[in-house]
Amino acid sequence: MEFMSLEELNADQRIIDVIKKRGIERLNPVQTEAVKKGLMEGKRLLITSPTGSGKTLMAELGMISFLLKEGGKAVYVTPLRALTAEKYNTFKDWESLNFKVGMSSGDYDSDDEWLRNYDIIVTTYEKLDSLWRHKPSWLKDVNYFVLDEFHYLNDSDRGPVVESVAVRAKKKNILALSATISNYAKISSWLGADAVTTNWRPVPLKEGVIVQDRRKCQVIFQDNLTLTLNGSDAIIAYTLYTIEKGGQVLVFRNSRKMAETTARKIAAEMEKAPLNDKELLEVANRIKDVDDAGGNEKEELYNLSLKGVVFHHAGLSKGLREIIENAFRERKLKVIVATPTLAAGVNLPARVVIVGDMYRYNRKILGYQEEIPIMEYKQMSGRAGRPGYDDYGESLIVLRNKRDIEKIFEKYILSDPEPIESRLGNESSFYTFLLGILSTEGGLNKNEIYDYSHQTLLDREIVDDYLEKGISWLNENDFIEERDEKFRLTKFGRKVSDLYVNPFTAKTIRDYLSRAETSCELAYFHLLAYTPDGPSIGVSRAEQDQLIDEAYCPLFIDEPDDEDELYEYLSALKVALIVKDWIDEVDEDIILERYSIGSGDLRSIVETMDWLTYSGSHIAGVIEATEHSRKLEILNKRVKDGVKEDLIPLVQISGVGRKRARLLYNNKITTPEDIVMNPEKVKALLGQKIGEKIAKEAAKLIAGLH
């Protein structure tokens, strides 16, 4: 394996200076090979190498070299907002070379024209896809795209968007990055790029299994090294063993409930482990003070963190997840028990990764447990080994039966992940793709649409089949029209594309609102949640019987007979009831307990329903359903902050949320003008410092309005 000194780079000295400030003195073998293959000359590359092998630095070298030589702009794309923020903070280093770094995610009905002032733009795949549809002037100046975590191409949810972005981006200079692509030859050929692929890791990985056998557990590594530990729980036994040796542990479980239960069990045994009580108390107090989480989850995580253990899943608020991740990076927390979503997120290495479950429940097939994909295991195991702290990382799969050892080794440890395949091969994804093409490119004839669509990863025969059906369906449903032998978006199609909603979502909203009388708030929320873009949430057996009884007004959609459809119907109804409580100002802790959800779930539901009420209002406006549009517009203003209608004027002020707004309103401060006219009263209610800030923000808002 060859390393390259920074002096051998033949790069602008300013680039070398920035890298050296990070404590880097040489490039590792993956980075060296990428440089030799033309990374800094703007060559198109697909780089596949393990987690922690320095792919971000390769992206920086590629982007900065290109910008210094060619000018223009570079866009760095990630699949997750958390990653977007992480990369944005990293890239700020390059502002010393006078490159302005900007970041954008969310708010899909916007062209973000302000980004014209930035040279490096960090964003998500969804946001970039929506930007192309809005055609901001600055996008034509982007000639370099970095597509990070490119294996998301294989993800059933995000894959279609990743592929849509790649089809457009590969017309320019492109750098694609991934930890796991087994069929890299096919993917690099599709991108028109050279492949740089290696298994080199900065911290070697030892993989194996851990098998429970009565009151002992046996660890068997790939190199046949074995270890026997006492204990009736393999996860707890190996976790304690690792901590006693100064390591940190990531445990992955297949459900939130299992993650939380396992964290409690480990914490109960942690008095046997060496802990820094002062550091852990500081972490626990940060958890207690976070302001975007429910009281019960804060209390539980406070108590767990005092033992150096926490759980982590999407049900937690953003604030809680950030505290947990930072404390683990700082090596204060010793154990995180997480669901697999953490493995695909931010960079969070540990000495040991324990994969507790190789099966997960498939909700669509009652009682059916399916094996996890190899790709998912590779993502989890890739977190093992902390550069700078560990000589090697360990990844262990927990088995309940010795007879499974050979099978698990063969499938997960000794095999490559599943090949990357197109996820555009369904009506919903492909019709959305077609709508995006026409939105970005304008009017196209059928041959031009065919040529564009054949640039996807799908087989030509499948493309041709979906094209015929898609053009016909979009035409029949008034998304597109044919004029002068070219297909163009209709007014309705343009609005749907700008809103960045699925065409099937738009059709559902239009079909019901165009023929229905206005209804109650719950009915609107249920309709929006029942669309393909609606938030999905679990419904327990006990809840299924209760939910229908709680629908206190006629819904737009009748109860279906099909069992699968009924589950989706009830899930949408549960979402609707949650959002109704939210806008009625029900206390957040009561909502979380009433519906058995986490603060992260509530935030996610609110964010999605904020977007869908906004979209629904605009779709209703296009079809001239004026009363529906007006009602949805008011609901949109209420959903964002969770308020009754009388608080809408107050929550427009930055820093005024639902609780402060209600306190002010109950004390006869009902508008921004009231705040400006009564600053001393506001300070008395909210405190001197906050009151002063709110008064200034209210004045700014009034100045903007008038």
Side-chain angles (χ1 to χ4, degrees), residues 67-83:
L67 292 176
L68 285 173
K69 290 172 186 171
E70 305 293 338
K73 300 180 187 295
V75 171
Y76 190 104
V77 201
T78 82
L80 304 168
R81 289 189 189 180
L83 274 176

Side-chain angles (χ1 to χ4, degrees), residues 650 655-656 659-671 674-695:
L650 288 174
V656 178
K659 290 183 179 177
R660 286 176 183 164
R662 182 52 64 194
L663 177 62
L664 291 168
Y665 192 92
N666 289 345
N667 285 275
K668 306 292 190 288
I669 304 286
T670 63
T671 65
D674 289 343
I675 290 176
V676 172
M677 296 298 292
N678 300 278
E680 295 307 316
K681 186 176 180 180
V682 172
K683 290 175 194 174
L685 289 168
L686 301 180
Q688 183 75 22
K689 194 172 179 182
I690 292 172
E692 202 170 294
K693 184 181 176 187
I694 296 300

Side-chain angles (χ1 to χ4, degrees), residues 447-485:
N447 286 336
E448 289 169 329
I449 297 174
Y450 269 68
D451 289 343
Y452 207 112
S453 301
H454 285 148
Q455 295 174 45
T456 67
L457 197 54
L458 278 175
D459 292 338
R460 292 180 73 92
E461 298 78 16
I462 297 173
V463 168
D464 292 350
D465 182 45
Y466 276 115
L467 262 173
E468 287 296 332
K469 292 178 184 174
I471 290 172
S472 175
W473 187 88
L474 291 169
N475 195 18
E476 288 170 8
N477 287 284
D478 194 36
F479 290 91
I480 63 175
E481 59 187 354
E482 189 175 12
R483 295 197 317 267
D484 304 323
E485 296 186 349

Side-chain angles (χ1 to χ4, degrees), residues 358-624:
M358 302 312 287
Y359 294 86
R360 64 174 168 218
Y361 176 62
N362 185 324
R363 184 187 58 74
K364 293 182 179 177
I365 307 174
L366 190 60
Y368 177 65
Q369 295 271 344
E370 61 185 6
E371 290 185 330
I372 67 170
I374 304 169
M375 175 82 80
E376 192 169 300
Y377 164 71
K378 298 292 186 187
Q379 286 292 310
M380 291 187 282
S381 65
R383 299 292 164 197
R386 301 163 304 178
Y389 294 109
D390 299 319
D391 295 328
Y392 58 87
E394 295 177 352
S395 172
L396 294 173
I397 298 168
V398 178
L399 300 181
R400 277 80 185 171
N401 195 321
K402 282 186 175 180
R403 287 176 296 184
D404 292 336
I405 293 174
E406 190 175 335
K407 181 185 103 172
I408 292 297
F409 259 103
E410 186 64 36
K411 176 168 182 179
Y412 290 100
I413 295 174
L414 301 175
S415 298
D416 290 327
E418 297 84 1
I420 299 285
E421 296 175 350
S422 175
R423 297 296 173 184
L424 281 173
N426 61 72
E427 291 176 343
S428 178
S429 298
F430 199 85
Y431 297 3
T432 302
F433 172 72
L434 288 179
L435 205 63
I437 291 173
L438 290 167
S439 177
T440 306
E441 303 298 327
L444 296 173
N445 62 38
K446 189 173 277 192
N447 286 336
E448 289 169 329
I449 297 174
Y450 269 68
D451 289 343
Y452 207 112
S453 301
H454 285 148
Q455 295 174 45
T456 67
L457 197 54
L458 278 175
D459 292 338
R460 292 180 73 92
E461 298 78 16
I462 297 173
V463 168
D464 292 350
D465 182 45
Y466 276 115
L467 262 173
E468 287 296 332
K469 292 178 184 174
I471 290 172
S472 175
W473 187 88
L474 291 169
N475 195 18
E476 288 170 8
N477 287 284
D478 194 36
F479 290 91
I480 63 175
E481 59 187 354
E482 189 175 12
R483 295 197 317 267
D484 304 323
E485 296 186 349
K486 289 202 170 189
F487 289 97
R488 293 179 171 83
L489 296 184
T490 60
K491 183 181 178 184
F492 176 66
R494 165 53 62 189
K495 177 54 69 178
V496 171
S497 180
D498 285 350
L499 292 168
Y500 202 64
V501 293
N502 185 303
F504 287 92
T505 291
K507 182 181 184 306
T508 300
I509 294 170
R510 181 190 62 191
D511 288 354
Y512 282 98
L513 295 188
S514 61
R515 63 174 182 251
E517 297 295 321
T518 58
S519 187
C520 70
E521 294 153 350
L522 188 73
Y524 286 110
F525 291 144
H526 181 254
L527 169 63
L528 297 171
Y530 195 54
T531 65
D533 286 315
S536 180
I537 193 164
V539 178
S540 68
R541 287 280 183 192
E543 286 177 312
Q544 289 185 25
D545 298 326
Q546 299 168 8
L547 284 168
I548 297 294
D549 296 334
E550 293 189 46
Y552 55 82
C553 71
L555 303 176
F556 290 120
I557 303 168
D558 295 329
E559 185 180 334
D561 296 323
D562 180 83
E563 191 170 335
D564 279 345
E565 287 182 25
L566 178 62
Y567 186 92
E568 300 300 333
Y569 181 90
L570 293 174
S571 173
L573 183 52
K574 183 175 176 179
V575 168
L577 289 162
I578 290 168
V579 181
K580 181 66 172 72
D581 278 358
W582 172 248
I583 67 168
D584 284 343
E585 298 177 37
V586 174
D587 184 83
E588 185 172 330
D589 281 339
I590 293 173
I591 295 174
L592 301 186
E593 187 173 352
R594 181 178 290 169
Y595 298 102
S596 301
I597 59 173
S599 52
D601 297 316
L602 179 58
R603 295 286 176 277
S604 177
I605 288 168
V606 166
E607 188 176 287
T608 304
M609 294 301 283
D610 176 27
W611 167 49
L612 287 175
T613 48
Y614 175 87
S615 299
S617 172
H618 282 266
I619 288 169
V622 170
I623 63 172
E624 298 182 355

Side-chain angles (χ1 to χ4, degrees), residues 274-309:
L275 298 172
N276 186 319
D277 293 340
K278 186 178 177 183
E279 284 187 347
L280 292 176
L281 180 60
E282 184 259 325
V283 173
N285 284 330
R286 279 159 57 197
I287 286 171
K288 187 198 290 183
D289 293 340
V290 76
D291 60 6
D292 69 343
N296 291 339
E297 58 194 0
K298 285 199 289 187
E299 184 179 357
E300 174 151 38
L301 284 166
Y302 174 88
N303 292 325
L304 285 173
S305 62
L306 289 172
K307 300 290 184 102
V309 183

Side-chain angles (χ1 to χ4, degrees), residues 313-381:
H313 53 61
L316 298 183
S317 71
K318 182 171 179 269
L320 282 175
R321 293 198 304 268
E322 285 178 351
I323 290 169
I324 287 167
E325 290 160 12
N326 288 333
F328 194 77
R329 283 193 198 97
E330 293 161 359
R331 305 181 74 205
K332 293 173 182 174
L333 290 173
K334 303 302 178 187
V335 184
I336 293 180
V337 188
T339 51
T341 50
L342 180 64
V346 290
N347 183 27
L348 210 66
R351 178 181 298 176
V352 170
V353 165
I354 299 175
V355 182
D357 310 278
M358 302 312 287
Y359 294 86
R360 64 174 168 218
Y361 176 62
N362 185 324
R363 184 187 58 74
K364 293 182 179 177
I365 307 174
L366 190 60
Y368 177 65
Q369 295 271 344
E370 61 185 6
E371 290 185 330
I372 67 170
I374 304 169
M375 175 82 80
E376 192 169 300
Y377 164 71
K378 298 292 186 187
Q379 286 292 310
M380 291 187 282
S381 65

